[in-house]
């Protein structure tokens, strides 16, 4: 029996798929190991409430981000009201804010000892309220942080809709609400479903926020089992429940799309609904309130806390934490972007078999997996491999920069793959043939064709991966080397102890880095235009 010969690129492709697959396969293999008494304890005490809490949180966030994201996208794309152009872009800013940062800010402002309830007690004799109860505040916090996923994709879908359909609906006598419900919303359904799915994946992966609000989910249970019982096996088995929910979310999102698609060939050119007077200013106030609650209020509170804590909290350790954060983000971005280039190069220059296409889809599944799931799988894998290669040192190898970089690569490969794929697809075979006919060698093809076209995609991918790595908490918390804290770890540790003013300094740094990356991506998307030579020149 003969096997097809693989090129070096294809060998590298399959080696990468194998490395990405191993942590997931190791988690699934945990069910073949003997069961633990810890499972009996969990089943009798907390397992039911943990699963129900996870599902209820997902349900609440799904409703919140969908309603808020779609309403905001509809308003800024199909209506005209005072301040629309500014508010349209301000609504993106919560992207830069990690959920656990907004979570501890809201606790500091609105919880029982905070300024709001203190003022209510002093002024009106307010009895007080625990805002962590029932998980409602947690749903609000997660919605305010994650609605931009739905808003961004729904906004793009609304802008892309064929203006003739909208005008035809108007001519048939439909009012604004009927046009939205019967025409615009069905056309935008694939984008809305995709945005909601991304928001739910982030909710499923969240660890810091749910811990701050004492809301027990599967993610927090994984950490509890590992820290309190030191059982990686049970943690891995709990991770498979998270994995099942993640796969179900993907299936539901794909099923909800059906065969629906939307394209961007038609940009909106019809008359927007002009909202004047009370209606227009009401929409402006409501959208401004969302921006205020999701970004401006947190920013003001962070600045106040950071100013108060700067003189007593700032020391040289912050340079170490910043250095660790930048090092991990930079190396992870370089590694992940390089691997994304490899995958796209193989996809673009070889005819992929069905197995290769499935492997490529599997490689991009990492973003759908919570960081805690990957961390447990990688920890188990490295411990076992380390014990075989260097007996007695497996546990030390599992908590190191190598394990962290592997987790980041698997988790965020899909983030880098998308922007690079879109730019790879603009390089047509005719362009390569034309360059070769002018005498270009392989090095000149890379330097004068590939790099100029791919450069914006590479920069965007690097920015996005770096920011995600800086904000990533579960994988970093589990796998970091001893004493190798980052800004995200510092924010979580201080805020979990109620030291909100001290947590404001590293949180403000994370927010600043996120804003820089967000502005960088926006600048590249808006202003970068590949240069075109008026007359082709020989490469020789």
């Amino acid at each position: 029996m003969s096997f097809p010969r693989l090129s070096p690129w294809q060998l590298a492709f399959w080696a990468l798929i194998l490395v990405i697959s191993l942590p997931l396969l190791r988690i699934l293999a945990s069910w073949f190991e003997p069961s633990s008494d810890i499972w009996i304890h969990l089943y009798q005490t907390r397992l039911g409430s943990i699963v129900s809490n996870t599902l209820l949180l997902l349900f609440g966030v799904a409703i919140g981000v969908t309603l808020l994201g779609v309403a905001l996208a509809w308003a800024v794309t199909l209506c005209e009201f005072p301040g629309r152009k500014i508010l349209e872009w301000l609504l993106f800013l919560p992207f830069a804010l990690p959920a656990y940062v907004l979570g501890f800010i809201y606790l500091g402002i609105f919880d029982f000892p905070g300024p709001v309830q203190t003022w209510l007690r002093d002024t009106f004799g307010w009895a007080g309220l625990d805002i962590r109860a029932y998980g409602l505040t947690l749903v609000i916090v997660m919605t305010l942080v994650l609605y931009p996923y739905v808003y961004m994709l729904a906004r793009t879908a609304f802008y892309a809709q064929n203006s003739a359909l909208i005008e035809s609906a108007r001519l048939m006598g439909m009012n604004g609400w009927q046009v939205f419900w019967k025409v615009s919303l069905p056309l935008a359904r694939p984008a809305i479903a995709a945005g909601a799915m991304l928001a739910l994946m982030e909710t499923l992966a969240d660890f810091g926020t749910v811990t701050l609000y004492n809301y027990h989910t599967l993610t927090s249970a994984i950490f509890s089992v590992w820290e309190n019982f030191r059982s990686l096996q049970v943690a891995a088995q709990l991770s498979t429940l998270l994995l099942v929910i993640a796969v179900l979310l993907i299936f539901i999102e794909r099923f909800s799309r059906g065969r629906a698609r939307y394209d961007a060939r038609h940009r909106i050119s019809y008359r927007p609904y002009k909202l004047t007077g009370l209606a227009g200013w009401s929409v402006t106030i409501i959208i401004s309130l969302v921006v205020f609650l999701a970004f401006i209020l947190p920013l003001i509170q962070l600045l106040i806390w950071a100013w108060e804590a700067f003189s007593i909290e700032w020391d040289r350790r912050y340079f170490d934490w910043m250095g660790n954060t930048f090092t991990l983000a930079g190396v992870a971005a370089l590694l992940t972007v390089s691997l994304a280039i490899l995958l796209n190069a193989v996809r673009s220059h070889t005819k992929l078999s069905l197995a290769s296409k499935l492997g490529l889809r599997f490689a991009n599944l990492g973003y759908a997996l919570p960081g805690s799931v990957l961390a447990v799988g990688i920890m188990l894998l490295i411990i076992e491999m380390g014990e075989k290669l260097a007996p007695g040192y497996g546990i030390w190898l599992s908590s190191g920069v190598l394990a962290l970089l592997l987790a980041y690569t698997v988790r965020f490969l899909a983030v880098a793959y998308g922007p690079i794929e879109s730019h790879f697809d603009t390089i047509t075979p005719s362009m390569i043939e034309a360059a070769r006919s002018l005498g270009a060698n392989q090095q000149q093809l890379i330097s004068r064709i590939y790099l100029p076209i791919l450069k914006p995609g590479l920069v965007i991918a690097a920015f996005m991966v770096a920011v995600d790595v800086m904000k990533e908490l579960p994988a970093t918390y589990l796998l970091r080397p001893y004493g190798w804290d980052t800004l995200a770890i510092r924010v979580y540790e201080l805020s979990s102890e109620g030291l909100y003013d001290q947590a404001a300094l590293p949180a403000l740094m994370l927010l600043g880095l996120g804003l820089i990356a967000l502005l960088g991506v926006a600048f590249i998307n808006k202003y970068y235009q590949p240069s075109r030579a008026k007359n082709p020149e020989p490469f020789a």
Side-chain angles (χ1 to χ4, degrees):
M1 181 179 180
S2 61
F3 294 94
R5 294 185 61 184
L6 298 177
S7 67
W9 285 102
Q10 291 172 317
L11 287 173
F13 173 87
W14 281 109
L16 176 58
I17 299 297
L18 178 62
V19 170
I20 292 173
S21 305
L22 283 176
L24 179 59
L25 294 175
R26 181 59 189 87
I27 291 172
L28 297 176
S30 65
W31 284 105
F32 295 98
E33 300 171 1
S35 59
S36 169
D37 292 338
I38 301 173
W39 263 111
I40 300 175
H41 170 73
L42 288 174
Y43 179 77
Q44 294 176 343
T45 56
R46 300 172 54 194
L47 185 61
S49 63
I50 288 171
V51 174
S52 61
N53 283 349
T54 303
L55 296 177
L56 285 173
L57 179 62
L58 290 174
F59 180 73
V61 173
I63 293 176
V65 297
T66 302
L67 292 179
L68 187 59
V70 172
L72 294 173
W74 165 261
V76 300
T77 54
L78 291 108
C79 300
E80 189 66 45
F81 54 89
R84 183 191 66 82
K85 292 183 178 180
I86 296 176
L87 291 172
E88 181 177 8
W89 296 106
L90 289 179
L91 287 168
F92 284 101
L93 293 181
F95 255 131
L97 199 63
Y100 50 86
V101 171
L102 185 63
F104 86 75
I105 292 172
Y106 268 54
L107 283 177
I109 296 175
F110 297 106
D111 207 7
F112 186 81
V116 173
Q117 290 205 43
T118 299
W119 178 79
L120 289 173
R121 284 196 302 272
D122 294 342
T123 307
F124 303 104
W126 170 265
L129 175 68
D130 181 10
I131 68 168
R132 306 182 200 217
Y134 310 115
L136 179 59
T137 309
L138 176 60
V139 170
I140 294 174
V141 168
M142 300 298 290
T143 298
L144 289 175
V145 170
L146 299 176
Y147 82 81
Y149 284 107
V150 178
Y151 169 75
M152 176 181 64
L153 295 178
R155 171 182 170 274
T156 302
F158 287 143
Y159 268 129
Q161 290 174 2
N162 192 333
S163 59
L165 295 175
I166 309 296
E167 292 296 345
S168 298
R170 286 181 172 181
L171 291 174
M172 293 173 64
M174 291 187 184
N175 57 31
W177 172 252
Q178 290 172 324
V179 169
F180 166 75
W181 188 255
K182 296 183 178 181
V183 179
S184 297
L185 186 61
L187 290 174
R189 190 183 67 189
I192 295 168
M197 191 270 290
L198 290 173
L200 292 181
M201 289 300 176
E202 291 292 332
T203 303
L204 196 63
D206 183 83
F207 164 69
T209 319
V210 296
T211 304
L212 287 173
Y213 282 78
N214 295 325
Y215 192 85
H216 301 294
T217 63
L218 283 169
T219 305
S220 60
I222 292 171
F223 283 86
S224 177
V225 167
W226 167 236
E227 288 190 337
N228 298 330
F229 298 102
R230 293 294 171 181
S231 175
L232 271 177
Q233 176 201 350
V234 177
Q237 292 169 347
L238 278 173
S239 297
T240 60
L241 297 181
L242 270 183
L243 180 61
V244 168
I245 295 176
V247 172
L248 283 175
L249 288 176
I250 295 174
F251 175 79
I252 292 171
E253 185 264 334
R254 297 291 181 185
F255 179 79
S256 67
R257 287 191 190 191
R259 296 182 178 273
R261 296 290 184 270
Y262 71 92
D263 58 65
R265 291 177 296 173
H266 305 280
R267 186 171 178 82
I268 281 182
S269 59
Y270 57 82
R271 295 170 289 105
Y273 294 98
K274 291 187 177 181
L275 304 177
T276 58
L278 181 60
W281 282 106
S282 297
V283 173
T284 300
I285 292 172
I286 291 172
I287 296 180
S288 299
L289 182 62
V290 173
V291 175
F292 177 77
L293 292 175
F295 186 79
I296 296 176
L297 176 63
L299 177 61
I300 293 173
Q301 186 61 71
L302 280 180
L303 290 171
I304 294 173
W305 279 337
W307 178 262
E308 294 173 349
F310 182 81
S311 59
I312 59 175
E313 175 67 15
W314 181 270
D315 56 42
R316 66 174 304 277
R317 294 176 301 167
Y318 274 89
F319 294 105
D320 296 332
W321 298 327
M322 284 190 291
N324 295 340
T325 302
F326 288 147
T327 300
L328 287 175
V331 175
L334 179 63
L335 178 62
T336 307
V337 168
S338 300
L339 296 179
I341 293 173
L342 169 63
L343 291 177
N344 275 289
V346 174
R347 179 187 64 85
S348 299
H349 295 90
T350 60
K351 186 176 181 181
L352 295 182
S353 63
L354 177 61
S356 299
K357 292 178 181 178
L358 293 175
L360 194 58
R361 282 183 175 271
F362 195 82
N364 284 282
L365 184 63
Y367 195 65
L369 303 178
S372 54
V373 173
L374 290 174
V376 170
I378 290 170
M379 195 180 298
L380 280 169
L381 192 65
I382 293 182
I383 287 175
E384 293 172 356
M385 294 179 62
E387 288 297 329
K388 292 181 179 179
L389 298 175
Y393 293 93
I395 189 66
W396 299 104
L397 293 174
S398 67
S399 297
V401 176
L402 176 63
L404 265 179
L405 291 177
L406 179 57
Y408 293 149
T409 301
V410 176
R411 175 101 165 86
F412 301 121
L413 181 62
V415 176
Y417 184 87
I420 296 174
E421 178 188 28
S422 63
H423 286 79
F424 248 106
D425 289 342
T426 63
I427 304 175
T428 61
S430 60
M431 296 170 61
I432 305 301
E433 291 300 324
R436 290 190 184 279
S437 67
L438 293 171
N441 56 31
Q442 190 66 31
Q443 182 178 355
Q444 290 171 326
L445 281 175
I446 294 174
S447 62
R448 299 180 65 178
I449 299 293
Y450 282 97
L451 282 182
I453 294 177
L454 293 178
K455 183 164 62 175
L458 298 178
V459 175
I460 290 173
F463 265 128
M464 293 172 66
V465 172
V467 172
D468 278 334
V469 169
M470 290 177 190
K471 297 192 296 184
E472 171 63 28
L473 183 59
T476 309
Y477 189 75
L478 275 175
L479 297 175
R480 76 192 191 281
Y482 179 76
W484 239 69
D485 288 346
T486 63
L487 292 174
I489 297 296
R490 190 62 180 165
V491 170
Y492 168 70
E493 290 180 342
L494 290 171
S495 59
S496 62
E497 296 174 4
L499 303 174
Y500 303 135
D501 54 342
Q502 296 180 34
L505 276 173
L508 198 59
M509 294 178 188
L510 277 179
L511 176 58
L513 295 171
L515 285 175
I516 291 172
L518 190 63
L519 292 173
V521 171
F523 177 83
I524 292 169
N525 274 328
K526 186 173 183 179
Y527 293 105
Y528 184 86
Q529 295 292 336
S531 59
R532 297 182 180 180
K534 294 183 179 179
N535 298 305
E537 297 179 0
F539 284 82

